[in-house]
């Protein structure tokens, strides 16, 4: 790759025009994709190839409900790309799932896998349903029929699902069992995020937060800061947020504020994170009522003076409306899409280093890859080995993107897209187009 700062006038770059108040994560992703394609001078044919999924499947899922009546649900599986290897991506069950959303999330997975150098393409799936209204046995029948309808898509060498919104270890176990029954052999490597007893991996639950922290420590060292002299703010206290907060606390950082859906909790002297995790677990997974801190709003939390801000709740949290009020030195995107594309340049002008989601939260897919490797070997690693290899891959991905960002004088986010798109395009060129 040769050094070349992007001009914003190429065929790919569309003038953003007046921005809507809320940008969809897909629009944000496409804007960044176009910018990187422009830097790489990607030819039009390659651009068109990478902008579209290679396969989109819509299935009808008839389910006999507990009351004896048939209900028909719609399910999707989109493979954005599979030139780097079998495609990989979660399955979500939600009332508003639609093909466009699944397509966007599938392409996101392609870039994420490329950034951390796991040999997977990108995919995503979903079923439009309200899981809260389904009984456990209805959920099982829905999952098994969805899997049965996609038997020709899924496979350990073809396409490997994982959990996403409202799907969990149990859903993965049903998918694995349905696929295995049809193959007449146990095939654990067809899904990841399984229960450990069924071939899941040690360390998977903490993997995303652990990856966020590995990147954060690397970024702190680049700006010459010691973790034990740094102050940290975390938005969201679920899987990603609570693990990130706990591991930064263990590094000696002062975690001054965290939040969940009930609001923010601030203590400038530093919060007792292990105590907050205990409190949350005993309090129905909520921090509501935690009294050893001052209560603040989620908006105030984002604007606190701190060294590291980890948004780990949901998308669109930092936009052009509040980007100029952010005072952190480093933002590590634990969530997918917490910063909108139109906030990128504001944060860049303020000199804030943003570790982009497709790098920062890729620890989850990295340990999913380890799970797939272990299942195929039939040999399972200790948690210590999983964590060591995860840290190594995340650190090397961070260092690599840091180098690319220096080479092109671009941000880490732009570097992530440039690196990922260049890698997939180069692989495709070598493989050629099958005719
Ligand atoms: P989770 O459901 O375990 O936790 C979400 C947390 O965010 C909860 O504490 C919730 O109370 C809080 N929250 C929700 N809305 C909020 C708001 N408006 N303000 C403040 N807090 C709010 O989810 P998770 O698995 O930790 O995922 C969080 C984000 O990370 C999502 O964007 C997800 O897509 C992304 N992500 C997760 C993984 C993973 O392995 N779990 C991997 C990659 C990316």
């Amino acid at each position: 790759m040769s050094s070349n700062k992007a001009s914003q006038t190429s065929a790919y770059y569309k003038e953003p025009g007046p921005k809507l108040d809320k940008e969809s994560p897909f629009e944000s992703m496409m804007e960044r994709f176009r910018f990187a394609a422009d830097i790489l001078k990607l030819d039009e044919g390659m651009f068109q190839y990478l902008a579209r999924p290679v396969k989109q499947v819509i299935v009808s899922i008839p389910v006999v409900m507990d009351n004896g009546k048939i209900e028909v649900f719609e399910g999707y599986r989109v493979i954005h790309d599979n030139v780097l290897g079998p495609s990989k991506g979660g399955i979500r069950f939600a009332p508003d799932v639609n093909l466009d959303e699944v397509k966007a999330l599938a392409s996101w997975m392609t870039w994420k896998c490329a950034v951390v150098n796991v040999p997977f393409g990108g995919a995503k799936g979903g079923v439009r349903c309200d899981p809260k209204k389904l009984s456990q046995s209805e959920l099982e029948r829905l999952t098994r029929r969805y899997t049965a309808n996609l038997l020709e898509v899924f496979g350990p060498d073809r396409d490997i699902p994982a959990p996403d919104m409202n799907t969990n270890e149990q859903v993965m176990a049903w998918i694995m069992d349905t696929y295995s029954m049809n193959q007449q052999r146990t095939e654990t490597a067809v899904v990841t995020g399984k229960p450990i007893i069924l071939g899941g991996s040690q360390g998977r639950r903490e993997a995303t937060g652990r990856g966020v922290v590995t990147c954060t420590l690397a970024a702190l060292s680049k700006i010459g800061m010691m973790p034990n002299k740094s102050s940290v703010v975390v938005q969201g206290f679920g899987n990603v947020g609570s693990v990130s907060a706990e591991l930064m606390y263990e590094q000696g950082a002062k975690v001054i504020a965290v939040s969940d859906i009930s609001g923010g909790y601030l203590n400038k002297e530093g919060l007792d994170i292990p105590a907050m995790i205990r409190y949350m677990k005993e309090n129905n997974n909520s921090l509501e009522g935690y009294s050893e801190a001052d209560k603040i709003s989620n908006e105030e939390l984002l604007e606190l003076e701190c060294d590291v801000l980890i948004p780990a709740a949901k998308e669109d949290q930092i936009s052009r409306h509040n980007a100029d009020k952010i005072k952190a030195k480093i933002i590590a995107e634990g969530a997918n899409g917490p910063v909108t594309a139109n906030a990128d340049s504001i944060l860049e002008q303020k000199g804030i280093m943003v570790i982009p989601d497709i790098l920062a939260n890729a620890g989850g897919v990295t340990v999913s890859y380890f799970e797939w490797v272990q299942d195929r070997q039939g040999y399972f690693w200790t948690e210590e080995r999983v964590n060591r290899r995860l840290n190594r891959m995340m650190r090397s991905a961070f260092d690599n993107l840091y180098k690319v960002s220096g080479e092109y004088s671009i941000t880490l986010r732009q570097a992530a897209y440039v690196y990922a798109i260049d890698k997939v395009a180069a692989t495709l060129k070598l493989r050629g187009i099958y005719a």
Side-chain angles (χ1 to χ4, degrees):
M1 292 188 288
S2 64
S3 180
N4 178 5
K5 186 123 173 124
S7 93
Q8 302 205 331
T9 52
S10 85
Y12 312 122
Y13 188 83
K14 296 213 176 80
E15 274 303 315
K19 283 285 172 202
L20 299 174
D21 275 343
K22 185 167 155 43
E23 260 182 304
S24 81
F26 182 57
E27 286 161 17
S28 287
M29 193 274 289
M30 278 311 290
E31 199 158 324
R32 290 153 178 164
F33 173 52
R34 275 186 215 107
F35 183 87
D38 194 33
I39 289 188
L40 289 165
K41 303 197 184 322
L42 206 64
D43 72 61
E44 179 67 21
M46 190 64 83
F47 181 88
Q48 293 302 341
Y49 174 90
L50 294 176
R52 290 179 169 76
V54 295
K55 188 180 276 189
Q56 308 173 49
V57 185
I58 304 179
V59 290
S60 251
I61 310 166
V63 176
V64 180
M65 306 302 278
D66 291 347
N67 64 9
K69 293 198 172 126
I70 297 172
E71 256 190 60
V72 183
F73 299 86
E74 190 160 277
Y76 313 93
R77 185 71 181 169
V78 172
I79 296 178
H80 172 256
D81 203 65
N82 49 12
V83 290
L84 295 184
S87 48
K88 184 94 193 75
I91 293 172
R92 56 175 55 177
F93 289 173
D96 54 354
V97 168
N98 62 70
L99 189 61
D100 272 348
E101 177 188 74
V102 177
K103 274 160 67 173
L105 294 166
S107 53
W108 217 312
M109 285 303 297
T110 300
W111 313 132
K112 197 180 284 194
C113 291
V115 157
V116 280
N117 293 307
V118 300
F120 288 144
K124 205 81 184 187
V127 176
R128 197 185 305 156
C129 65
D130 188 349
K132 282 198 236 66
K133 294 193 180 139
L134 297 173
S135 70
Q136 188 75 348
S137 56
E138 287 167 343
L139 204 59
E140 177 173 355
R141 289 194 289 279
L142 174 89
T143 304
R144 287 188 182 276
R145 185 58 188 258
Y146 171 74
T147 309
N149 286 357
L150 289 165
L151 281 175
E152 281 163 18
V153 175
F154 295 154
D157 296 307
R158 285 194 298 257
D159 179 39
I160 308 145
D164 195 72
M165 203 183 284
N166 298 325
T167 58
N168 56 18
E169 289 189 346
Q170 176 62 74
V171 172
M172 297 306 113
W174 290 326
I175 295 177
M176 189 280 264
D177 184 69
T178 306
Y179 184 86
S180 296
M181 285 295 139
N182 280 276
Q183 301 296 314
Q184 299 187 16
R185 62 168 192 273
T186 296
E187 191 56 89
T188 52
V190 68
V191 284
T192 61
K194 297 179 294 294
I196 288 189
I197 196 171
L198 288 188
S201 179
Q202 300 287 345
R204 174 65 187 85
R205 191 188 66 79
E206 303 84 4
T208 304
R210 189 172 291 280
V212 170
V213 168
T214 304
C215 292
T216 302
L217 298 180
L220 280 169
S221 83
K222 295 290 181 202
I223 62 167
M225 279 199 74
M226 300 289 288
N228 61 2
K229 297 272 184 299
S230 67
S231 56
V232 178
V233 169
V234 183
Q235 185 196 39
F237 209 60
N239 176 289
V240 182
S242 69
V243 173
S244 304
E246 188 174 27
L247 294 177
M248 286 307 294
Y249 176 90
E250 283 172 12
Q251 288 290 327
K254 204 192 269 184
V255 183
I256 58 167
V258 301
S259 69
D260 70 2
I261 192 80
S262 70
Y265 301 83
L266 167 72
N267 182 342
K268 289 210 166 127
E269 300 313 311
L271 294 161
D272 182 347
I273 297 298
M276 293 189 89
I277 291 176
R278 281 195 302 277
Y279 180 88
M280 174 190 68
K281 285 185 180 154
E282 286 159 13
N283 193 36
N284 209 10
N285 278 330
S286 170
L287 288 172
E288 179 86 71
Y290 183 76
S291 56
E292 307 298 308
D294 298 327
K295 195 80 196 287
I296 55 171
S297 72
N298 257 299
E299 292 70 36
E300 288 166 330
L301 173 126
L302 293 171
E303 296 166 14
L304 286 171
E305 189 107 35
C306 62
D307 298 311
V308 178
L309 171 62
I310 304 179
K314 52 193 287 216
E315 70 280 3
D316 285 342
Q317 295 304 293
I318 300 172
S319 67
R320 68 189 168 112
H321 298 298
N322 59 354
D324 63 338
K325 300 197 196 103
I326 306 293
K327 297 178 198 78
K329 297 187 178 78
I330 294 168
I331 298 176
E333 295 185 333
N336 285 318
V339 174
T340 64
N342 54 26
D344 281 351
S345 56
I346 303 172
L347 298 175
E348 188 183 356
Q349 275 157 25
K350 287 173 67 84
I352 298 174
M353 187 195 295
V354 179
I355 310 170
D357 45 9
I358 57 174
L359 168 65
N361 71 33
V365 77
T366 304
V367 173
S368 277
Y369 164 55
F370 294 165
E371 180 175 335
W372 177 81
V373 169
Q374 294 170 77
D375 287 339
R376 288 166 69 100
Q377 290 181 332
Y379 178 73
F380 291 88
W381 308 348
T382 60
E383 186 169 359
E384 191 270 331
R385 175 181 280 201
V386 170
N387 291 345
R388 190 162 24 89
R389 292 185 172 183
L390 170 64
N391 286 341
R392 195 162 65 211
M393 283 181 70
M394 294 299 298
R395 178 69 208 220
S396 113
F398 179 92
D399 288 343
N400 178 39
L401 297 191
Y402 195 81
K403 192 165 122 260
V404 175
S405 87
E407 254 171 56
Y408 285 82
S409 310
I410 53 180
T411 63
L412 274 178
R413 188 190 312 282
Q414 289 158 348
Y417 280 88
V418 164
Y419 176 76
I421 292 167
D422 190 51
K423 181 171 178 182
V424 177
T427 311
L428 183 67
K429 268 193 200 128
L430 284 171
R431 288 181 62 155
I433 302 285
Y434 178 74

